[in-house]
Amino acid sequence: MHYRSEKLRLFEVPSNCMCITTYESLSGYVQQEEKYINDLDDSVRSLSLDSRGSLSPNLQIVTAKDVVLRRCGQTDVLPFEQCYPQSALQHCQKIGEGVYGEVFLYRNPKGGTSVMKVIPIEGDLIVNGEKQKKFEEILSEIVIAMELSNLRNNEKNTTTSFSQVQNVKCVQGVYPERLLDLWELYDETKGSENDSPQMFPPHQQYIVLELANGGDDLESYVFNNAQQAYAVFQQIACALAVAEAQLKFEHRDLHWGNVLINTVNKSKVLPFRLNGKEILVETNGVEATIIDFTLSRVEFDGVAIFYDLSLDDELFHAKGDYQFEIYRLMQKANGNMWQHFEPFSNILWLHYILDKAVTSAVRYKNPKSKIHLKYMAKLKKIKDEILAFRSVAEFVAESF
Ligand SMILES: Nc1ncnc2c1ncn2[C@@H]1O[C@H](COP(=O)(O)OP(=O)(O)O)[C@@H](O)[C@H]1O
Ligand SMILES: [Mg+2]
């Protein structure tokens, strides 16, 4: 189930720069020429208001579109056809969908396969029952996805378990014929919950996120036994710990549709680094990737980026799965103040994943084997103990 809250907030964390602003209240952003936060990433810095919130003569207007284009490495929106010509889309397949867009697998120019998440933006048409995102609303997903992807190159806190961002493009034009055919094929074979992209006008704008292929989601993947579920749990825990330490990251929506699994060589080991300390995690043949940062929170150099879930009351009233209880538990933990860093939310999602693994909502090929029972017992023990930790970084530092 997908929930959307479109109230992006930027928040200056230091108390001397008390500054909360909503993007949608501004037609453009102001950038101070004399920068007071020197190391801050350019794109985010350009979105921070000065503490007085007033315009002074040396301010220049920077729009969210400018910042998105900069993150895309573009100076202007490019034609869809130019970025993704028909020939490049020949070996494409539709593999998934979300409320905000369609997800295709495609062969990249280097010969490997990548995932394209195509998100319509800025238009007036209602798509899949929702308003299209504006530049200022898509910006956080782009920035957060890129910062997490970049943790693979970070020295002190390192992980490769967040979806690898290969490219981000901002395009405009007719939805490619080939992708429309693939949409129809998916609808006929699997049934789509989305509106057909045929509805889009020829001048529609899109953001295309090109990501490494993370595999199948945890809901549909079938493990050999609980040892593999344990390996996935360890990878997710280490990834969250690393991102907490480096970016004060909370995922806030880590249900089993947002954890992907690739089958890999059984002997593959994944290196993590948490505050300079190396942690090696055995894959046991399964490699996990965390995706979907729509509701996530990060902070760097004093600026927090997050969605204000307090404005999304509906989210907290859903019933049924333990997933929906987690939103309420997160709200209780942070007092409905979503700008704050409350890493216990990541602990709650780990508890949810352990719950899925031990109640056999997650599927196993060999649930009677000795090794399965051994790791089932390990997972249950962790599930009983994990809520005593305040953050995943603390849990990992003590347990690994
Ligand atoms: N990197 C990826 N590799 C493989 N599949 C992906 C990837 N990213 C997204 N998907 C597929 O597309 C679906 C929707 O993507 P997601 O980022 O979760 O969007 P939404 O915000 O709409 O939920 C996922 O549930 C998954 O099936
Ligand atoms: Mg999702």
Side-chain angles (χ1 to χ4, degrees), residues 218-219 221 256 321 355-364 376:
L218 187 55
E219 183 175 4
Y221 196 85
W256 61 351
D321 197 89
D355 181 69
K356 285 276 176 270
V358 303
T359 56
S360 297
V362 166
R363 284 173 292 162
Y364 302 103
M376 220 27 161

Side-chain angles (χ1 to χ4, degrees), residues 178-247:
R178 174 80 188 138
L179 299 189
L180 288 177
D181 290 347
L182 291 167
W183 192 93
E184 291 295 337
L185 186 67
Y186 184 95
D187 192 32
E188 281 161 24
T189 51
K190 297 191 175 165
S192 172
E193 288 179 32
N194 281 359
D195 297 328
S196 166
Q198 206 148 24
M199 70 194 282
F200 293 117
H203 56 269
Q204 176 71 44
Q205 297 181 78
Y206 305 88
I207 291 293
V208 182
L209 283 169
E210 289 181 37
L211 309 166
N213 182 10
D216 297 324
D217 66 27
L218 187 55
E219 183 175 4
S220 52
Y221 196 85
V222 184
F223 291 117
N224 288 334
N225 54 50
Q227 187 181 25
Q228 290 196 322
Y230 183 75
V232 163
F233 167 76
Q234 285 195 309
Q235 292 167 44
I236 297 170
C238 286
L240 292 176
V242 165
E244 277 179 7
Q246 186 65 33
L247 295 166

Side-chain angles (χ1 to χ4, degrees), residues 2 4 95-103 105 115 117 141 163-164 211-217 253 255 257-258 260 289 291-294:
H2 305 272
R4 298 290 169 256
I95 56 162
E97 59 183 27
V99 177
Y100 279 111
E102 305 290 329
V103 182
L105 198 63
V115 163
K117 189 172 171 181
E141 180 165 354
S163 189
Q164 183 177 19
L211 309 166
N213 182 10
D216 297 324
D217 66 27
D253 199 19
H255 59 75
N258 288 334
L260 304 182
T289 297
I291 60 165
D292 196 351
F293 311 111
T294 320

Side-chain angles (χ1 to χ4, degrees), residues 231-379:
V232 163
F233 167 76
Q234 285 195 309
Q235 292 167 44
I236 297 170
C238 286
L240 292 176
V242 165
E244 277 179 7
Q246 186 65 33
L247 295 166
K248 297 206 167 105
F249 169 74
E250 292 175 58
H251 189 289
R252 295 183 171 173
D253 199 19
L254 198 52
H255 59 75
W256 61 351
N258 288 334
V259 175
L260 304 182
I261 317 283
N262 262 328
T263 306
V264 293
N265 195 307
K266 242 181 126 42
S267 59
K268 183 168 183 180
V269 174
L270 294 171
F272 293 84
R273 215 170 301 122
L274 178 59
N275 293 319
K277 185 188 162 210
E278 186 167 65
I279 301 170
L280 297 175
V281 175
E282 288 180 12
T283 62
N284 277 304
V286 282
E287 182 166 356
T289 297
I290 298 172
I291 60 165
D292 196 351
F293 311 111
T294 320
L295 304 187
S296 299
R297 182 224 191 257
V298 293
E299 176 180 331
F300 46 105
D301 296 320
V303 175
I305 303 174
F306 62 101
Y307 270 107
D308 193 347
L309 285 168
S310 69
L311 302 166
D312 196 346
D313 204 40
E314 204 192 327
L315 177 69
F316 303 103
H317 291 105
K319 293 254 153 61
D321 197 89
Y322 185 39
Q323 175 191 346
F324 306 120
E325 188 67 30
I326 301 290
Y327 301 116
R328 289 187 282 275
L329 291 169
M330 288 198 297
Q331 188 183 40
K332 201 172 156 215
N334 67 20
N336 213 19
M337 293 195 283
W338 299 90
Q339 70 271 32
H340 289 171
F341 178 47
E342 180 40 87
F344 186 68
S345 72
N346 291 328
I347 289 280
L348 289 168
W349 284 110
L350 281 185
H351 191 254
Y352 155 93
I353 284 168
L354 289 163
D355 181 69
K356 285 276 176 270
V358 303
T359 56
S360 297
V362 166
R363 284 173 292 162
Y364 302 103
K365 281 184 199 146
N366 304 303
K368 295 211 169 95
S369 63
K370 234 177 156 178
I371 191 101
H372 178 79
L373 298 172
K374 179 179 163 190
Y375 278 90
M376 220 27 161
K378 273 192 182 223
L379 288 165

Side-chain angles (χ1 to χ4, degrees), residues 79-146:
F80 209 146
E81 165 77 21
Q82 185 186 324
C83 285
Y84 302 98
Q86 202 76 345
S87 58
L89 302 175
Q90 275 319 304
H91 303 283
C92 229
Q93 238 182 300
K94 175 171 164 176
I95 56 162
E97 59 183 27
V99 177
Y100 279 111
E102 305 290 329
V103 182
F104 301 92
L105 198 63
Y106 96 110
R107 194 161 296 170
N108 60 41
K110 288 181 191 149
T113 55
S114 294
V115 163
M116 282 169 76
K117 189 172 171 181
V118 184
I119 308 162
I121 54 160
E122 290 280 329
D124 295 327
L125 285 177
I126 298 291
V127 187
N128 311 323
E130 298 276 347
K131 279 186 182 169
Q132 293 176 39
K133 290 194 178 197
K134 300 278 181 203
F135 275 108
E136 53 267 37
E137 291 162 331
I138 196 71
L139 181 65
S140 73
E141 180 165 354
I142 296 173
V143 171
I144 295 175
M146 284 178 132

